[in-house]
Amino acid sequence: MITITLPDGSEKKYVAGISAMDIAKGISEGLARNVLAAKVNGNLQDALLPIMEDARVQLLTWNDQEGKATMWHSSAHLMAEAIELLYPGVKFGIGPDIENGFYYDIDFGDYSISDNEFPKIENKMLELARQKQVFTRREVSKQEALDYFTKKGDPYKIELINDLEDGRITFYESGNFTDLCRGPHLPDTGHIKAVKLLSIAGAYWRGDETRKQLTRIYGITFPKKQELTDYLALLEEAKKRDHRKLGKELELFAFSPRVGLGLPLWLPKGAELRGRLEDFLKLVQRKAGYEQVITPHIGNVNLYKTSGHFQKYGADSFRPISTPVEGEEYFLKPMNCPHHCEIYANKPHSYKDLPIRYAEFGTVYRYEQSGELHGLTRVRSFTQDDAHIFCTPDQVKDEFKSVMDIVMKIFNALDFKDFITQISLRDPLNPSKYIGSDENWEKAEQAIMEVAQERGLETVIAYGEAAFYGPKMDFMVRDALGRKWQLGTIQVDYNLPERFELEYTGSDNEKHRPVMIHRAPFGSMERFVAVLIEHCAGNFPIWLTPEQAIILPISEKYNDYAEKLLKLLKNSDIRAQIDWRSEKTGRKIRDAEMKKVPYMLIVGEKEEAEGLVSVRKHGDGDLGSMTTEAFIERISTEVREATSEL
Ligand SMILES: [Zn+2]
Ligand SMILES: [Zn+2]
């Protein structure tokens, strides 16, 4: 007999060899129908696998991320089975689950498949799913595994098997399809009720450009048809909110091949928006005791050798800049921290000066492959809302807390209500990856964990995800469509102060090393603006939006009145423009709606004669006529209310 402990703490005895599925059936048939996989003593495995010893068992359904992942990974097998039936002789690379769905890398030989063929594959997948094919796990020897795929003639699987250790190789069989796989998988394919193949891309075998390009097919599956319908509607909405599309329509930013790939150009409205975000953050930071600094865009190669960035990033960065002086080399700044260390070192410090907090909207440059570039979220030049705090070891925790207050304030102000934090710690199995002493690392990791706990944050701990110079906490927000975005970061660093030999005089009159905290609540202005655009679909809060009102004269006769009005608005600190074009009013309104300008002020004969404006609100329609003073009062109140808590 073995003892099984469920997540609610209840314990029950079973005969050894029982499966998680049997346990589910003992609870209720309904639950058993929904079980997709199980976690046994923390290991994710098939729900049908026998359990041989005392164990903690968690039953996973569609409501668990790992349940979804199991469904999607199993769907990759199902897609491969369907494709093999429809296109005999194809060869398979790898087929993992991803954040939303799955893909499989496939070698179609000379055949070039198109997405017109998706419906045929989807139908075949559904037909096979209805057969409720059971996923059967089988342990095989390395030789057996090699023999199977040699006979089948699949060079990719053979290469994968050659990298595996004998005795730890498993096959999974479902219907007529056998795959090399660690699992786990669904109990059977019958759980897959809705299928959508999403796109095709080229993918080099093992990510190596010198090797063959395979065809990657992406797809997603669901246990209910309605969920697929909802997902497709979400994708449609995401397309409408794509920051690259809105960035163009709202004239916020642009890219020019002549300037260079991945180098964003901020247009006047985008610069206005970004400037307001920067002002907001500067204000919050000033209140929290930060001082602004400014540093150059390049630095001597020795600076980055001292900091260690050269050794770490040198190979992946832009090429060095040489000067007419022999042997003098500069790098585009990949990080602001080394410059800020030198600002700290500019004069001696006493413990009474600490903490010192230097903030800079510092533009940095990192080389990204052209294929990796994406709108404002992956660029080669970006501006961090950076700051570095130098403090005593005893101050780390309080500083960390105060940074978190700033992060919360920003998320609140911009309506990111839903976020999780990830704490990234060392990989305990690979200590040589990191710079710095064990003792310092432990101190830093401890401080982060304690603060997260004290604040009651929803936290994920990721071992092995820390940067080479210190542990960190990252913030991931969920946007209006439920998508996760990584934004800001707070990072404790005991190493740079060591490398730059930074010091302060303690109360004991001895020299001590300060601790450094790196932090960037937005991450970068580029990324943050991209996420903000998609979150609010381009409808920025009134205090932030680059253009709060647009005046639409119904004909040229009223241009003088429009101009007088504009002056009044500007005097009241309202950001407005006039649509001078000789278009029909209906057209001007439609264009202003598309540009998502919050207020449209239509002026004609009646308005001019009586000192009125006819007001339309974006999305809300006609608000009727009001005096110019009443409109100014209305919008000013709105801005005041929105900013009262900032
Ligand atoms: Zn698998
Ligand atoms: Zn830094």
Side-chain angles (χ1 to χ4, degrees):
M1 297 297 282
I2 55 170
T3 305
I4 299 296
T5 312
L6 293 173
D8 65 4
S10 64
E11 284 183 1
K12 214 172 162 186
K13 296 234 179 277
Y14 293 95
V15 178
I18 187 149
S19 71
M21 183 58 82
D22 296 328
I23 295 168
K25 278 181 187 151
I27 298 170
S28 87
E29 278 298 328
L31 174 62
R33 269 198 299 278
N34 288 318
V35 169
L36 304 178
K39 236 177 177 175
V40 177
N41 287 331
N43 296 320
L44 191 58
Q45 66 178 51
D46 298 334
L48 298 178
L49 218 60
I51 301 168
M52 303 310 294
E53 54 187 21
D54 291 355
R56 285 171 291 115
V57 173
Q58 189 190 349
L59 303 166
L60 300 172
T61 68
W62 182 250
N63 294 327
D64 302 289
Q65 196 49 45
E66 284 158 318
K68 284 191 178 78
T70 303
M71 163 91 95
W72 287 333
H73 169 68
S74 304
S75 302
H77 283 247
L78 183 68
M79 180 173 79
E81 184 185 0
I83 286 176
E84 194 168 56
L85 284 167
L86 295 168
Y87 308 86
V90 293
K91 318 260 184 281
F92 294 100
I94 54 163
D97 56 274
I98 52 176
E99 199 187 339
N100 288 297
F102 60 90
Y103 67 78
Y104 217 123
D105 286 347
I106 303 166
D107 182 351
F108 281 88
D110 294 334
Y111 186 68
S112 127
I113 189 167
S114 89
D115 52 13
N116 294 334
E117 293 160 73
F118 282 178
K120 183 170 75 176
I121 302 169
E122 288 163 0
N123 287 336
K124 181 57 91 180
M125 285 173 74
L126 286 170
E127 178 193 322
L128 298 169
R130 279 193 295 270
Q131 293 171 8
K132 297 195 171 139
Q133 298 175 347
V134 175
F135 283 92
T136 316
R137 182 177 186 276
R138 183 154 61 92
E139 287 172 18
V140 292
S141 70
K142 193 162 179 169
Q143 196 51 54
E144 238 178 295
L146 286 171
D147 289 347
Y148 178 84
F149 283 104
T150 306
K151 198 166 149 220
K152 197 179 165 189
D154 194 326
Y156 307 107
K157 296 291 177 188
I158 292 172
E159 188 177 324
L160 292 174
I161 294 164
N162 277 325
D163 289 349
L164 294 175
E165 214 177 292
D166 201 1
R168 310 188 62 168
I169 300 175
T170 50
F171 274 5
Y172 274 87
E173 236 176 80
S174 52
N176 288 314
F177 185 71
T178 299
D179 208 348
L180 168 73
C181 193
R182 258 186 319 231
H185 299 93
L186 299 173
D188 67 70
T189 58
H191 289 270
I192 301 167
K193 295 281 195 329
V195 173
K196 183 77 188 166
L197 300 191
L198 297 165
S199 61
I200 293 187
Y204 293 106
W205 171 234
R206 307 198 108 173
D208 181 346
E209 288 168 51
T210 64
R211 308 204 55 187
K212 180 150 187 175
Q213 196 173 43
L214 307 182
T215 302
R216 177 169 296 177
I217 301 183
Y218 288 95
I220 194 162
T221 53
F222 294 92
K224 284 196 186 101
K225 284 207 180 94
Q226 184 58 42
E227 293 206 36
L228 173 60
T229 311
D230 295 347
Y231 179 74
L232 293 177
L234 191 82
L235 275 192
E236 211 39 55
E237 182 58 30
K239 244 189 236 166
K240 279 192 218 150
R241 291 171 179 240
D242 189 320
H243 76 276
R244 294 167 301 173
K245 176 176 169 283
L246 285 175
K248 202 178 223 168
E249 287 171 8
L250 306 183
E251 296 178 51
L252 299 172
F253 60 88
F255 289 91
S256 147
R258 203 172 276 166
V259 172
L261 291 175
L263 302 173
L265 303 172
W266 290 84
L267 306 178
K269 282 183 193 165
E272 171 75 41
L273 176 78
R274 172 174 154 173
R276 290 196 165 266
L277 280 170
E278 291 182 1
D279 289 347
F280 162 51
L281 195 55
K282 275 184 192 163
L283 181 71
V284 173
Q285 288 178 170
R286 211 163 27 240
K287 286 185 192 160
Y290 287 71
E291 300 167 287
Q292 287 292 131
V293 294
I294 299 171
T295 65
H297 289 232
I298 62 173
N300 193 291
V301 64
N302 293 319
L303 177 69
Y304 304 117
K305 280 185 177 160
T306 305
S307 70
H309 291 111
F310 177 79
Q311 295 84 323
K312 195 76 190 173
Y313 291 120
D316 298 324
S317 69
F318 288 105
R319 298 292 87 203
I321 303 160
S322 45
T323 73
V325 175
E326 175 100 22
E328 193 180 48
E329 270 190 346
Y330 288 85
F331 268 89
L332 282 170
K333 160 164 91 173
M335 291 268 192
N336 302 302
C337 354
H339 294 72
H340 291 188
C341 286
E342 285 301 292
I343 292 180
Y344 178 88
N346 179 53
K347 67 172 192 187
H349 298 282
S350 132
Y351 70 97
K352 289 182 202 142
D353 305 334
L354 304 184
I356 287 172
R357 310 176 187 93
Y358 296 137
E360 178 178 16
F361 288 94
T363 305
V364 297
Y365 302 86
R366 307 214 187 132
Y367 180 77
E368 301 271 2
Q369 291 187 354
S370 58
E372 304 280 312
L373 299 171
H374 181 90
L376 285 183
T377 55
R378 274 304 265 285
V379 283
R380 287 173 172 173
S381 134
F382 55 95
T383 302
Q384 296 178 312
D385 54 321
D386 213 357
H388 294 96
I389 300 166
F390 300 87
C391 61
T392 70
D394 294 339
Q395 291 167 334
V396 166
K397 229 175 117 177
D398 281 344
E399 285 307 302
F400 210 84
K401 276 188 198 163
S402 122
V403 174
M404 287 189 25
D405 287 341
I406 292 179
V407 173
M408 307 299 160
K409 193 161 206 168
I410 290 167
F411 286 177
N412 254 322
L414 295 162
D415 200 34
F416 287 107
K417 298 274 183 262
D418 191 2
F419 67 91
I420 50 172
T421 54
Q422 175 174 311
I423 298 180
S424 299
L425 305 177
R426 275 173 304 178
D427 176 358
L429 301 175
N430 198 357
S432 62
K433 242 171 79 180
Y434 309 94
I435 301 175
S437 78
D438 262 358
E439 190 200 343
N440 283 343
W441 270 89
E442 268 154 36
K443 247 192 247 173
E445 291 181 338
Q446 195 69 30
I448 300 182
M449 307 267 268
E450 280 174 18
V451 172
Q453 203 169 25
E454 283 167 24
R455 288 289 155 108
L457 295 179
E458 189 191 337
T459 309
V460 180
I461 295 181
Y463 290 94
E465 291 290 313
F468 75 97
Y469 51 86
K472 60 176 175 172
M473 176 184 270
D474 293 309
F475 296 90
M476 260 160 296
V477 295
R478 230 185 290 273
D479 72 8
L481 301 187
R483 299 170 299 174
K484 268 188 275 172
W485 298 87
Q486 205 207 310
L487 290 180
T489 180
I490 315 177
Q491 186 147 20
V492 179
D493 183 354
Y494 286 92
N495 299 304
L496 274 192
E498 197 73 41
R499 298 180 74 96
F500 279 88
E501 301 178 325
L502 304 181
E503 290 177 340
Y504 66 91
T505 309
S507 54
D508 55 2
N509 241 346
E510 302 285 323
K511 299 285 186 199
H512 299 274
R513 286 263 180 269
V515 178
M516 192 170 172
I517 298 173
H518 312 249
R519 41 109 287 173
F522 288 162
S524 78
M525 299 312 293
E526 284 74 10
R527 189 173 174 79
F528 190 77
V529 167
V531 174
L532 184 62
I533 292 171
E534 302 208 5
H535 180 54
C536 69
N539 298 301
F540 302 110
I542 189 85
W543 61 274
L544 190 61
T545 196
E547 196 175 4
Q548 294 169 317
I550 186 161
I551 303 166
L552 314 177
I554 62 169
S555 90
E556 277 169 36
K557 275 195 278 175
Y558 309 105
N559 282 356
D560 286 348
Y561 180 58
E563 211 156 346
K564 228 169 29 188
L565 194 55
L566 181 67
K567 211 175 265 170
L568 280 175
L569 295 177
K570 288 205 163 149
N571 282 341
S572 304
D573 211 17
I574 294 162
R575 301 184 289 283
Q577 284 191 26
I578 301 173
D579 185 344
W580 296 109
R581 298 173 306 162
S582 50
E583 295 286 352
K584 293 225 165 64
T585 308
R587 174 69 192 273
K588 288 186 179 181
I589 291 176
R590 270 199 310 282
D591 288 352
E593 288 279 1
M594 209 191 79
K595 301 244 182 248
K596 303 180 189 248
V597 183
Y599 288 101
M600 288 152 266
L601 309 176
I602 299 144
V603 293
E605 190 180 350
K606 179 171 179 272
E607 284 76 18
E608 177 163 18
E610 298 174 30
L612 301 176
V613 287
S614 189
V615 184
R616 271 185 79 89
K617 190 165 189 200
H618 171 68
D620 283 358
D622 208 351
L623 299 186
S625 308
M626 56 184 86
T627 62
T628 311
E629 293 72 31
F631 173 72
I632 290 174
E633 182 51 32
R634 179 190 168 109
I635 190 168
S636 304
T637 307
E638 205 178 323
V639 171
R640 215 166 31 242
E641 280 169 2
T643 48
S644 66
E645 280 177 33
L646 303 186

